[in-house]
Amino acid sequence: MSDDATFMLDGRPIRFVAGQSILEAATAAGTFIPNLCHHPEFKPHGSCKLCTVKVNGRASSACTTRARAGQEVASDTPELNRHRRTLLQMLFVEGNHFCPGCEKSGNCRLQALAYDLEMLNPHYEHFYPPRPIDASHPDVLIDFNRCILCALCVRASRDVDGKSVFALAGRGTAQHLVVDCPSGKLGDSDFAMTDKAAAVCPVGAILPKRVGFSVPIGERTFDVEPISAHAAHAAETRG
Amino acid sequence: MRHVAPTPPRRKLRVATASLAGCFGCHMSFLDIDERLLDLIDLVEFDRSPITDIKHCGPCDIGIIEGGVCNAENVHVLWELRANCKVLVALGACAVNGGLPAQRNHLDVGRCLTRVYRDRAGAAVPDDPELPLLLDKVRPLNEVVRIDFFIPGCPPSGDAIWKYLTDLISGRMPRLEHPMLHFD
Ligand code: SF4
Ligand code: SF4
Ligand code: FES
């Protein structure tokens, strides 16, 4: 496969290098495909399904599907965006997301995608699940109410920090994030503020302490520009 | 900031507003449309609302409700507005997802009441029939009645409220986008 092979994304040619996923190639070209559980530095997890596109008419996750020459990929369509909105709404009602009181508000990728896809309400009946907060660590707080089970912290701790502090336990609606130490408390684990796992949470579940509102609400990343425009600018800066 | 000018409807639209389990911040933000209130008053007249102090709602075109549903009285007011308004608008975070009051949802109401009232010396849980009974969980409006439109935000800005209402009054499909769409 030649290095300048292309596929079509919403009618526009996207160049890719062999081995890139559709999401990676689109991101490099400055075209935003909504995604939540993806991080360029980690192996794709393929769990949130926000990145679902149609490849030659078949639904596939853009983060786990290899780009191939000549593919016809549809992403920004009313049908796919409606499904994405539904996925977001389910994520909102499954946890406890009270944005006005959340330190991550304005920097949160879940919220930013909801803005971008014009999700005006969570639609479904709220679970209001009782979930704990773990404030045992001196530098980092975990608010399980906001965890969307994207496993980015799991991958970062295992693959970069070599510690495997986090894991996902349970199945279905009972699935939850656990801290791997006898007490289950972050403060008793060997987690450190400098870990990669401390810096990857896309939502307000893993939060550094004492910096909460150092950037005021209204001046944060996705207050300034929508997540799609932000992704396009990031691609420009990378060149 | 002025957005698309509203097209005047053929007659004045009747609007009701109510604040349920909210903090009145959304109504304050509504008043934040400032001098545009004068434009609005050419287009609408108010029925039941904290602004008019009318206590019960007659037939209306639009009902605007701030706050979620936390007690039996909230449910009755919401039913009254649903029965009388052609469209209902959920205004603000609490109306949309329960908001701050819903953060009590993981607590047991009975235990809260005994903790706050009975366990303190000389106090008892108030049982005056005038006091509405608390629901076990605070709910957003759309979990109790059908809601036609949602304006999120804590509170939504005056500009967002103005944009949404003028779209609605002019018969356009109301839309909120960056930077007016906010959950905080
Ligand atoms: S994590 Fe994101 S969506 Fe959830 S409450 Fe915080 S800002 Fe809102
Ligand atoms: S804590 Fe954050 S990074 Fe970890 S699984 Fe939950 S949402 Fe993902
Ligand atoms: S980003 Fe592809 S499934 Fe989550």
Side-chain angles (χ1 to χ4, degrees), chain A residues 11-237:
Chain A
R12 286 185 39 219
I14 303 282
R15 292 157 73 101
F16 67 94
V17 258
Q20 268 183 326
S21 67
I22 291 174
L23 182 60
E24 283 167 340
T27 307
T31 305
F32 182 67
I33 297 176
N35 64 86
L36 257 184
C37 67
H38 177 74
H39 190 292
E41 294 167 43
F42 304 115
K43 264 213 327 250
H45 193 236
S47 59
C48 75
K49 300 300 172 204
L50 258 296
C51 70
T52 302
V53 291
K54 285 218 170 153
V55 184
N56 301 331
R58 289 185 55 166
S60 327
S61 307
C63 69
T64 55
T65 307
R66 285 258 176 102
R68 291 190 198 287
Q71 279 165 330
E72 290 284 342
V73 182
S75 173
D76 190 9
T77 67
E79 183 205 11
L80 287 170
N81 286 336
R82 197 170 55 243
H83 290 318
R84 289 175 180 137
R85 238 179 342 260
T86 301
L87 289 172
L88 291 172
Q89 289 171 321
M90 293 195 286
L91 285 172
F92 269 85
V93 301
E94 273 169 24
N96 292 305
H97 294 275
F98 299 107
C99 299
C102 178
E103 286 183 15
K104 193 79 171 189
S105 198
N107 290 327
C108 168
R109 294 180 61 87
L110 174 63
Q111 183 193 59
L113 283 176
Y115 291 169
D116 219 48
L117 292 162
E118 293 182 60
M119 185 199 104
L120 294 184
N121 86 316
H123 181 77
Y124 298 104
E125 192 173 321
H126 285 74
F127 289 23
Y128 295 128
R131 293 212 201 142
I133 287 175
D134 179 350
S136 60
H137 195 278
D139 303 316
V140 172
L141 172 90
I142 307 186
D143 188 336
F144 292 93
N145 290 290
R146 304 178 188 135
C147 174
I148 55 168
L149 307 170
C150 70
L152 275 172
C153 59
V154 177
R155 284 175 276 167
S157 185
R158 183 190 61 208
D159 304 342
V160 179
D161 308 326
K163 294 183 180 175
S164 290
V165 168
F166 300 104
L168 295 183
R171 302 180 81 84
T173 49
Q175 193 177 45
H176 60 288
L177 183 71
V178 290
V179 174
D180 182 25
C181 68
S183 70
K185 291 279 177 210
L186 194 64
D188 297 331
S189 73
D190 53 359
F191 179 84
M193 178 68 185
T194 47
D195 286 359
K196 184 73 182 173
V200 292
C201 183
V203 296
I206 299 182
L207 291 168
K209 291 185 177 176
R210 293 177 291 277
V211 292
F213 294 93
S214 55
V215 179
I217 297 273
E219 295 173 21
R220 299 175 172 198
T221 311
F222 306 120
D223 294 331
V224 179
E225 59 180 354
I227 190 166
S228 47
H230 183 75
H233 286 157
E236 271 169 34
T237 349

Side-chain angles (χ1 to χ4, degrees), chain B residues 14 18-19 31 34 47 55 62-64 73 80 85 92-94 97 101 139 148 151 154 156 160 166 177 179:
Chain B
R14 242 184 127 68
S19 176
L31 299 180
D34 298 328
D47 194 285
K55 302 294 183 207
I62 303 175
I64 302 170
E73 193 220 2
E80 181 181 302
C85 302
C94 302
N97 77 348
R139 293 284 173 188
D148 305 285
I151 311 181
C154 185
T166 49
E177 292 169 285

Side-chain angles (χ1 to χ4, degrees), chain B residues 88-120:
Chain B
L88 277 192
V89 183
L91 178 65
C94 302
V96 167
N97 77 348
L100 185 108
Q103 296 196 40
R104 76 150 154 91
N105 283 352
H106 66 284
L107 302 171
D108 180 89
V109 176
R111 283 197 39 189
C112 278
L113 289 172
T114 44
R115 253 313 256 294
V116 172
Y117 293 101
R118 207 189 56 201
D119 295 354
R120 285 203 262 153

